């Protein structure tokens, strides 16, 4: 996933959160979420779509977020941070 796509996903999620009134922000782009989950090694890039909510729940539990299987703004922000850290660790040769 490119930095630009990551920033677009985060920006879209945050924009929804900022502009939302009493309703929840819409979930992020599923392709971007899939790429982020693949970056951190929780989802195989060719995994079926049906696995995404379960994998999101696992990530949310690990990150201390509300476990709902939906890629809302906080989940996308945490995913983006985790993916950035995972890429950095790989660049240092500290992760597989």
């Amino acid at each position: 996933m490119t930095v630009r796509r990551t920033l677009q996903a985060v920006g879209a999620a945050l924009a929804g959160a900022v502009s939302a009134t009493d309703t929840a922000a819409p979930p992020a782009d599923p392709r971007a979420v899939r790429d982020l989950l693949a970056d951190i090694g929780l989802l195989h890039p060719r995994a079926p779509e049906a696995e995404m909510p379960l994998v999101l729940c696992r990530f949310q539990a690990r990150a201390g977020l509300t476990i709902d299987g939906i890629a809302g703004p906080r989940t996308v922000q945490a995913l983006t941070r985790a993916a950035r850290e995972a890429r950095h660790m790989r660049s240092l040769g500290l992760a597989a």
Side-chain angles (χ1 to χ4, degrees):
M1 175 176 231
T2 65
V3 173
R4 181 178 179 167
R5 283 188 60 199
T6 300
L7 291 175
Q8 286 174 334
V10 172
L14 291 176
V18 170
S19 63
T21 54
D22 290 337
T23 60
D29 175 28
R31 291 172 303 207
V33 173
R34 173 180 282 280
D35 290 343
L36 290 168
L37 288 167
D39 275 351
I40 60 176
L42 291 180
L43 183 70
H44 189 278
R46 290 181 296 237
E49 287 294 320
E51 285 187 34
M52 289 258 305
L54 178 61
V55 173
L56 272 172
C57 285
R58 285 186 196 143
F59 174 78
Q60 289 168 331
R62 290 179 186 175
L65 299 167
T66 301
I67 302 168
D68 59 7
I70 297 171
R74 289 185 176 157
T75 298
V76 172
Q77 182 182 23
L79 273 170
T80 302
R81 184 177 38 238
R84 182 177 53 242
E85 291 170 3
R87 286 190 300 270
H88 181 69
M89 296 298 279
R90 283 192 300 270
S91 75
L92 296 174
L94 298 174

